[in-house]
Amino acid sequence: MSIAPSDTQCFIFPQTSLEKPPSLVTQALPPSHDEIVDSYARNDEDTGYTGSELKRRQGTDHLLYLTLSVCGQPSSAVSNISAPPPSLELFVSHQTNQCPGPNFAGQQGWIPADGGFANYENPTSGDSYFTVFAPQTPGFNGNYTYELTASIDAPFTYYEDLPGLFFVDSDQNSSLFITNNLTTSNSSTQQEAWMQTGGPFTIFMHDADDVMITGLLKSYCGLNTSAQVRTMADVEVGMTTIAGGLPKQQYYVKGLNKTTAYHAVMALPSNYTQTGSGMPGGGGVVWQDIRMTTKTGKKLRSAPPVQASSLSSIDPNCQLIYNLSFCDTVNYAVPANPSNSNFSTMVELAAFYDNNTATNFDYFAWSLEQIPCGTTAEAQYSLATNCSNCYDAYKQWLCAVTIPRCMDYSSTEVYLQARNVNQSFIDGSPFPAGDPTFSQANKSVMYLNSSRVPMIDQSIRPGPYKELLPCIGLCYGLVQNCPAVLGFACPLAGKGQNYSYGYPRNNSLTCNVPGAIWGVSRASGHGPSTVNFWVGLSLAMVVSITGCSWG
């Protein structure tokens, strides 16, 4: 429906509609025990759900659900705006007045469409009247379009005030996201059922500098109409069990702009029903947005602090890889060189890193076979651990140290380590003037003048970059879990450790653990319970798996 600024449109939900039989819905997704997914598979007295049916409330009152979604809004008449047009407003009355609104003096409910969405739930036994009001829009042209629904079964559209989506990592033109756990059940049957869905959720993304989108961030139809990323044409979707071993959906979004902040929103197209329009919950579910920024690929031309004028042209030597066969928890940007024809695609680059790591692991596996792992518990090398734990700890450590996590050279975060300063930038530009890292003395320092693994410099030739160091816990876990006869040891603090490993700080991932979620504690809008869960998970991984110096 369309409405012009300053207009009102009035509606009635008659008492006779309250007596209609409830709708039946079919569960289209596997069951879940997770707080975020449970929001669209509810079973409580407030909504009237019971399994796959909807039950009627007892007594004379019936619960009425109204939802208002803004699908389109007036466009800006000027180039510089600081806010979207004012939101539509929903007025509701159960009195005899058939058109409540801003000029109605009687008792009524007033709900502005925050972020393009408004909902109303209230028991009623008679006629209900509601009005959509469009305020004046100075500085904007055009009308609003909206979707208004009334139901006695359930809301047609939902908004969940928790983020269901988490940012993993990005390069200049793509980003990787995962959802929260889609189930917390220990049932292998239920977990496999989720893995077989292939990924039912969609994703919307939009440039965060465009303030117009903030007027639609909570509206499914609004995002589906206006978001810059709103189809799956540039999105690869799949299921994953990284970060805890439970099913999650994964999104690889391509075609993004460099150095750009985005709103990212998870959504479910038609809730838990097999059909959408006309069914309870059929209008979709939208979760709270998060913000992320793509990498810049820029390098300093003057000493920190970074000034905008000191950033040179693009040097895109960090590229996102994921879905590796052996190092299956690696899902981040790695040192790359797009001008190197041998690794011009993500698949080729990922295979290079993965195959090299798997080959190195084979040498370790042959050594571990010499240990009597199958003997009795009393004859094992340790009563606290075993060869299986050693196998897993070594694999986790090896993937972290042979596949370094790449960050923009222009980043000035103190926990990042400069690498490969003896090589030229891949665009052929000279070393940044005034950057002390490129002094002649530093060019003779091994941890600065090369990558952690020689084959990166020899085969990929990424030029200078910065590395998010593996967490020291990965090395400690390797030493703790493997037989002493293998001779593993970690570098000491002040004697190489600071250049080889990083440390978790301030509940943030300031060091790398493959499979951990990067930036959760920094993403905007996360509710406390969600932040604590994810940060706690990441830190637990550091402690329990816990990583050896590579030189």
Side-chain angles (χ1 to χ4, degrees):
M1 289 180 282
S2 177
I3 185 171
S6 302
D7 279 359
T8 58
Q9 293 178 349
C10 304
F11 306 88
I12 181 174
F13 191 84
Q15 180 183 7
T16 55
S17 295
L18 296 174
E19 306 302 328
K20 292 184 178 180
S23 300
L24 298 178
V25 296
T26 302
Q27 186 80 14
L29 296 176
S32 168
H33 297 290
D34 184 81
E35 64 176 352
I36 290 186
V37 180
D38 278 349
S39 61
Y40 62 81
R42 303 183 183 197
N43 184 358
D44 58 52
E45 288 296 321
D46 287 336
T47 58
Y49 285 95
T50 173
S52 61
E53 298 183 353
L54 297 165
K55 65 182 179 181
R56 187 70 65 204
R57 283 177 167 267
Q58 300 297 320
T60 59
D61 282 359
H62 302 271
L63 197 61
L64 175 65
Y65 300 90
L66 301 178
T67 59
L68 170 65
S69 298
V70 180
C71 303
Q73 55 190 353
S75 59
S76 173
V78 295
S79 57
N80 296 321
I81 58 171
S82 59
S87 63
L88 292 181
E89 301 172 20
L90 179 64
F91 292 87
V92 184
S93 174
H94 301 288
Q95 298 180 355
T96 56
N97 180 63
Q98 297 189 10
C99 197
N103 297 321
F104 176 52
Q107 185 177 4
Q108 63 180 356
W110 171 69
I111 312 98
D114 179 33
F117 178 73
N119 68 309
Y120 173 86
E121 300 179 12
N122 200 64
T124 183
S125 58
D127 294 340
S128 296
Y129 307 95
F130 38 99
T131 296
V132 174
F133 169 68
Q136 294 183 358
T137 56
F140 295 89
N141 296 323
N143 297 336
Y144 294 89
T145 58
Y146 66 94
E147 189 177 75
L148 179 67
T149 61
S151 172
I152 55 174
D153 297 317
F156 182 66
T157 304
Y158 287 97
Y159 171 73
E160 290 297 332
D161 198 21
L162 280 174
L165 192 67
F166 299 101
F167 172 59
V168 180
D169 202 3
S170 78
D171 53 30
Q172 286 181 281
N173 303 116
S174 61
S175 292
L176 192 66
F177 302 88
I178 64 169
T179 67
N180 205 334
N181 295 324
L182 299 181
T183 178
T184 56
S185 171
N186 292 323
S187 166
S188 60
T189 301
Q190 188 174 125
Q191 292 181 19
E192 182 60 25
W194 272 105
M195 296 299 289
Q196 291 299 320
T197 64
F201 300 92
T202 190
I203 187 173
F204 297 111
M205 293 185 68
H206 198 92
D207 188 337
D209 288 338
D210 180 8
V211 297
M212 289 290 290
I213 199 64
T214 60
L216 303 171
L217 279 177
K218 299 180 181 180
S219 165
Y220 183 88
C221 69
L223 290 168
N224 200 37
T225 301
S226 301
Q228 292 164 337
V229 176
R230 60 180 184 271
T231 70
M232 304 308 281
D234 288 323
V235 183
E236 295 179 9
V237 174
M239 299 297 293
T240 182
T241 57
I242 63 169
L246 294 171
K248 304 169 187 66
Q249 185 170 327
Q250 182 172 256
Y251 309 82
Y252 173 60
V253 185
K254 301 173 288 185
L256 304 178
N257 296 322
K258 62 182 180 293
T259 325
T260 301
Y262 285 92
H263 294 284
V265 179
M266 185 180 90
L268 186 65
S270 60
N271 204 348
Y272 59 91
T273 61
Q274 293 281 14
T275 56
S277 179
M279 294 298 297
V285 185
V286 173
W287 278 261
Q288 186 185 86
D289 72 297
I290 64 171
R291 287 186 62 164
M292 50 72 58
T293 303
T294 52
K295 285 185 170 61
T296 68
K298 294 184 177 181
K299 47 193 179 291
L300 290 174
R301 282 199 180 279
S302 65
V306 182
Q307 302 296 327
S309 60
S310 69
L311 294 175
S312 76
S313 60
I314 300 303
D315 200 45
N317 59 350
C318 293
Q319 184 173 345
L320 195 60
I321 61 172
Y322 74 107
N323 277 0
L324 279 64
S325 298
F326 179 71
C327 291
D328 50 359
T329 58
V330 167
N331 55 1
Y332 48 77
V334 298
N337 184 348
S339 63
N340 188 330
S341 60
N342 293 324
F343 311 105
S344 58
T345 68
M346 182 185 72
V347 173
E348 293 171 334
L349 185 65
F352 172 79
Y353 279 105
D354 202 37
N355 293 340
N356 178 77
T357 307
T359 298
N360 287 332
F361 186 84
D362 287 340
Y363 301 136
F364 161 78
W366 295 334
S367 298
L368 190 62
E369 288 175 359
Q370 310 310 308
I371 305 297
C373 295
T375 188
T376 62
E378 293 78 7
Q380 292 264 359
Y381 66 88
S382 172
L383 295 177
T385 188
N386 54 46
C387 289
S388 178
N389 291 338
C390 174
Y391 182 100
D392 293 340
Y394 187 86
K395 178 182 177 181
Q396 185 82 340
W397 170 82
L398 186 66
C399 290
V401 298
T402 58
I403 309 180
R405 191 164 191 156
C406 182
M407 305 295 286
D408 285 325
Y409 189 82
S410 60
S411 176
T412 57
E413 297 287 0
V414 296
Y415 49 81
L416 299 180
Q417 178 61 58
R419 298 289 193 198
N420 209 17
V421 299
N422 271 4
Q423 286 192 3
S424 300
F425 288 103
I426 58 178
D427 64 357
S429 60
F431 298 131
D435 187 340
T437 307
F438 289 91
S439 68
Q440 196 60 41
N442 281 342
K443 289 184 179 182
S444 63
V445 178
M446 180 174 292
Y447 68 82
L448 289 171
N449 66 19
S450 60
S451 294
R452 181 184 291 269
V453 182
M455 62 93 181
I456 296 176
D457 300 339
Q458 296 164 3
S459 300
I460 297 176
R461 302 184 299 277
Y465 62 94
K466 288 188 177 178
E467 179 188 353
L468 180 67
L469 297 173
C471 291
I472 184 62
L474 294 174
C475 187
Y476 293 154
L478 179 58
V479 174
Q480 293 164 1
N481 284 289
C482 290
V485 69
L486 294 179
F488 292 128
C490 299
L492 300 175
K495 296 184 178 181
Q497 187 182 104
N498 295 351
Y499 309 126
S500 297
Y501 295 97
Y503 315 87
R505 305 174 185 176
N506 300 324
N507 290 331
S508 297
L509 289 178
T510 52
C511 58
N512 185 35
V513 175
I517 306 304
W518 167 247
V520 168
S521 62
R522 294 184 173 193
S524 62
H526 289 193
S529 61
T530 307
V531 171
N532 291 340
F533 169 74
W534 284 96
V535 171
L537 171 65
S538 301
L539 295 180
M541 292 178 67
V542 173
V543 173
S544 61
I545 302 173
T546 61
C548 280
S549 175
W550 192 267

